[in-house]
């Protein structure tokens, strides 16, 4: 394994600036790593659905030419990146992990994709995901599951398991993900990576194939808190093409990460959410969480318990609001305009073509959620289900507001368990949904959250994540706390947690 691919994005940026390497060299090193360990759904990590080696090397060569001419566009110019396959990429397939969009190539770029291209980051390819971002394990991809680089028999989280696995397996130093109910943070927790869900609207959603418009948010997937800060500052900002984009820029993230890495949290008040821990949570997860809370105290923070009573209803509300929005969003996949088209024998009607196409093109989980959402929005049930769920959402937002009047940030474990075995929960949708128990409230309220590695569980030696939540537009607090915890734990471990992961060549 090339030494280049084990460096952080910030270190790679410094190496490029110092002339120690070139973008072509480090892009090729990552492409070689992908070729060596990614494989397919049967063998290897299978983090990527499409690898654009030619395009990435062309972009890398252009970056090197700019650097030679003194025209570098951004600190990360020349550092390669992977993109979740739910973001539109002009000239590259965007399938959303679904057969219904197999081979579809968008004629435009999502705003965040255009931004990273303009900054000079070579795009290595598109990463695997649960179909239309519906799932917590990346097993619902129509193209086969992604595997956890720590143990190839286990899941890498979802829906953005491909992006997290690519970063954890040293196939990419940076990746873009999306988080609707935890799809960046939960994969981060189970793969030992850093995952951030920015404040809703702080990063453009234009060009993101929507699952649930009021919940979806693009964010960074990296190996360090500083790398996430660098990437979020790059992709963030107001976008007039996105009606949900907030006009107030979220700034100071890199400075906050550097401040936090110094290890001083004096004056910070931290709230431990009592409803997001305890019985039913894996013992090893709770042990690492309790150690992290003690670490926050050791760093000078004041820690108190905070009750957010409506959080216990968050999952029920989420699984009414999300299906309702997705049933509406996925109506556009009708076999008439783009994507898959299945024509039954005879002289079928447009309705018959649509029915046949959606039957073949959508997987079971997508169909399940469309039916739930359609039912929740139907006449006679709207007020009883969808309307009630929206009221609970308001109460959850109020709980957050009340909590943040008392503390600066809130903390909890990111996921109730470590990575479970592939296939273990496929026949039990409720058990799968429970993996997002701790992450869902932030999406319902639109507040930002980060997951940072908190160590390995005693039972199985697999990664555990610490979740930090902050008020809307106070994303800098995430980076200060996350970087402080990261620096202290890395010093305790003697090296970053990913350096202790098994060698993928031995696992395959």
């Amino acid at each position: 394994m090339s030494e280049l691919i084990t460096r952080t994005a910030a270190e790679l940026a410094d190496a490029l600036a110092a002339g120690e390497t070139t973008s072509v060299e480090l892009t090729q090193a990552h492409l070689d790593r992908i070729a060596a360990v990614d494989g397919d759904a049967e063998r290897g990590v299978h983090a990527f659905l499409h690898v654009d080696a030619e395009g990435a090397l062309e972009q890398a060569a252009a970056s090197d030419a700019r650097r030679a001419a003194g025209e570098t566009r951004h600190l990360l110019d020349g550092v390669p990146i992977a993109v979740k396959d739910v973001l539109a990429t002009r000239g590259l397939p965007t399938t959303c992990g679904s057969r219904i969009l197999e081979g579809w190539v968008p004629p435009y770029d999502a705003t965040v994709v255009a931004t990273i291209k303009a900054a000079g980051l070579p795009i290595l390819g598109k990463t695997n995901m649960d179909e239309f971002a519906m799932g917590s394990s990346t097993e619902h991809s129509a193209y086969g599951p992604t595997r956890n680089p720590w143990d190839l028999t286990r899941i890498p989280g979802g829906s953005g398991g491909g992006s997290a696995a690519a970063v954890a397996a040293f196939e990419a130093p940076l990746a873009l993900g999306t988080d609707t109910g935890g799809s960046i943070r939960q994969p981060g927790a189970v793969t030992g990576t850093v995952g951030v869900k920015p404040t809703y609207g702080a990063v453009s959603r234009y060009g993101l194939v929507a699952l649930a418009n009021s919940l979806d948010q693009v964010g960074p997937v990296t190996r360090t808190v500083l790398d996430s800060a660098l990437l979020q500052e790059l992709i963030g900002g107001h976008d007039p093409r996105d009606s949900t984009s907030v006009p107030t820029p979220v700034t100071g993230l890199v400075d906050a990460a550097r401040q936090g890495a110094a290890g001083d949290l004096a004056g910070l008040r931290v709230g431990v959410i009592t409803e997001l821990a305890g019985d039913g949570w894996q013992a090893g997860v709770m042990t690492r969480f309790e150690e992290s809370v003690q670490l926050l105290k050791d760093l000078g923070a004041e820690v108190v318990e905070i009750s957010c009573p409506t959080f216990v209803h968050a999952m029920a509300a989420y699984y009414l609001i999300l299906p309702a929005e997705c049933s509406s969003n996925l109506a556009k996949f009708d076999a008439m305009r783009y994507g898959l088209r299945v024509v039954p024998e005879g002289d079928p009607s447009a309705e018959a073509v649509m029915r046949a196409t959606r039957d073949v093109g959508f997987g079971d989980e997508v169909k399940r959620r469309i039916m739930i959402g359609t039912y929740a929005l139907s006449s006679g049930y709207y007020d009883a289900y969808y309307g009630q769920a929206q009221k609970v959402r308001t109460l959850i937002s109020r709980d957050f507001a009340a909590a943040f009047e008392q503390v600066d940030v809130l903390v909890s474990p990111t996921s109730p368990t470590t990575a479970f075995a592939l296939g273990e929960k496929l026949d039990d949708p409720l058990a799968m949904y429970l993996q997002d128990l701790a992450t869902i409230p932030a999406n319902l309220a639109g507040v930002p959250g980060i997951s940072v590695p908190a160590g390995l569980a005693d039972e199985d030696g697999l990664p555990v994540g610490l979740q930090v939540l902050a008020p809307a537009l106070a994303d800098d607090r995430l980076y200060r706390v996350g970087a402080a915890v990261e620096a202290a734990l890395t010093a305790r471990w003697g090296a970053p947690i990913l350096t202790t992961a098994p060698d993928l060549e031995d696992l395959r």
Side-chain angles (χ1 to χ4, degrees):
M1 182 166 66
S2 168
E3 179 271 339
L4 273 179
I5 65 173
T6 63
R7 298 190 194 183
T8 68
E11 290 170 345
L12 291 174
D14 290 342
L16 286 168
E20 297 172 7
T21 187
T22 65
S23 180
V24 167
E25 182 180 6
L26 63 89
T27 299
Q28 185 62 62
H30 285 93
L31 290 169
D32 290 344
R33 176 66 170 174
I34 293 169
V37 305
D38 205 61
D40 54 29
E42 300 299 324
R43 189 171 184 271
V45 177
H46 191 42
F48 284 87
L49 292 180
H50 179 80
V51 178
D52 184 27
E54 182 179 351
L57 289 171
E58 286 180 0
Q59 294 164 44
S63 174
D64 289 336
R66 285 193 299 273
R67 194 171 294 276
E71 300 172 356
T72 305
R73 295 176 176 174
H74 186 270
L75 177 67
L76 294 174
D77 192 344
V79 178
I81 189 170
V83 176
K84 186 177 179 181
D85 201 32
V86 73
L87 292 163
T89 44
R90 182 177 182 179
L92 295 181
T94 298
T95 71
C96 299
S98 178
R99 291 291 180 196
I100 209 162
L101 280 178
E102 187 170 10
W104 181 62
V105 178
Y108 71 103
D109 282 323
T111 293
V112 290
V113 173
T115 298
I116 61 173
K117 282 184 176 180
L121 284 70
I123 297 175
L124 295 166
K126 305 297 289 293
T127 55
N128 199 12
M129 56 181 284
D130 284 301
E131 185 178 8
F132 285 105
M134 298 186 201
S136 302
S137 66
T138 316
E139 293 175 281
H140 294 297
S141 169
Y143 306 99
T146 295
R147 299 171 185 273
N148 194 317
W150 287 81
D151 181 343
L152 295 179
T153 69
R154 295 179 182 259
I155 61 98
S159 64
S163 287
V167 171
F170 299 103
E171 297 176 272
L174 300 167
L176 290 178
T178 60
D179 192 310
T180 304
S183 294
I184 292 175
R185 289 162 290 154
Q186 185 253 3
V190 301
T191 60
T193 55
V194 176
V196 181
K197 184 202 90 68
T199 294
Y200 180 78
V203 178
S204 174
R205 295 174 49 257
Y206 178 79
L208 161 63
V209 181
L211 166 56
N213 304 64
S214 71
L215 301 166
D216 300 335
Q217 186 56 67
V218 182
V221 181
T222 67
R223 288 194 288 271
T224 70
V225 174
L226 176 59
D227 285 356
S228 283
L230 288 166
L231 186 53
Q232 186 180 335
E233 282 203 348
L234 170 60
I235 62 175
H238 179 66
D239 180 7
R241 292 177 294 182
D242 174 9
S243 63
T244 64
S245 179
V246 297
T248 305
V250 176
T251 59
L253 309 182
V254 173
D255 289 342
R258 296 191 189 280
Q259 178 190 3
D264 182 8
L265 294 181
L268 190 83
R269 284 179 58 84
V270 176
V272 176
I273 307 170
T274 57
E275 286 78 12
L276 297 183
D279 294 340
W281 296 62
Q282 185 177 324
V285 169
M286 289 308 304
T287 298
R288 296 292 87 82
F289 174 64
E290 289 162 4
E291 291 172 353
S292 297
V293 171
Q294 181 58 52
L295 178 60
L296 290 168
K297 295 178 182 178
D298 295 342
L299 292 170
E302 179 186 355
V303 177
V304 298
E305 287 195 356
I306 292 288
S307 177
C308 298
T310 59
F311 282 19
V312 298
H313 306 298
M315 192 177 77
Y318 176 85
Y319 278 104
L320 284 168
I321 295 169
L322 178 139
E325 294 189 18
C326 88
S327 70
S328 176
N329 280 323
L330 268 60
K332 60 179 169 285
F333 300 105
D334 57 6
M336 300 298 153
R337 289 165 284 189
Y338 50 81
L340 179 70
R341 177 179 296 173
V342 177
V343 181
E345 293 183 1
D347 185 22
S349 64
E351 182 180 355
V353 171
M354 186 186 306
R355 182 167 54 246
T357 300
R358 290 164 70 87
D359 179 50
V360 172
F362 287 146
D364 290 344
E365 183 62 24
V366 173
K367 292 174 183 175
R368 180 183 295 117
R369 297 198 194 189
I370 288 174
M371 287 190 290
I372 292 172
T374 302
Y375 181 83
L377 292 174
S378 61
S379 177
Y381 296 100
Y382 181 98
D383 290 334
Y385 293 107
Y386 183 74
Q388 289 295 104
Q390 290 289 17
K391 291 177 182 178
V392 171
R393 183 178 195 172
T394 299
L395 295 176
I396 289 169
S397 295
R398 290 176 181 172
D399 267 1
F400 268 118
F404 287 131
E405 288 180 356
Q406 303 175 61
V407 297
D408 299 302
V409 297
L410 296 167
V411 296
S412 76
T414 308
S415 179
T417 70
T418 56
F420 50 87
L422 289 162
E424 181 180 327
K425 301 183 189 298
L426 274 178
D427 296 328
D428 188 350
L430 181 58
M432 185 78 79
Y433 298 163
L434 285 170
Q435 296 302 304
D436 298 330
L437 192 64
T439 53
I440 281 172
N443 296 83
L444 289 171
V447 303
I450 188 173
S451 177
V452 295
L456 306 178
D458 297 328
E459 304 96 326
D460 48 30
L462 293 172
V464 173
L466 169 70
Q467 177 178 234
V468 185
L469 305 172
L473 302 178
D475 300 44
D476 58 313
R477 298 184 194 177
L478 304 179
Y479 288 100
R480 181 187 172 196
V481 177
V485 171
E486 176 186 68
L489 288 177
T490 300
R492 180 180 298 177
W493 300 328
I497 194 171
L498 282 172
T499 62
T500 67
D503 190 318
L504 275 170
E505 294 298 327
D506 295 334
L507 291 177
R508 294 181 67 189

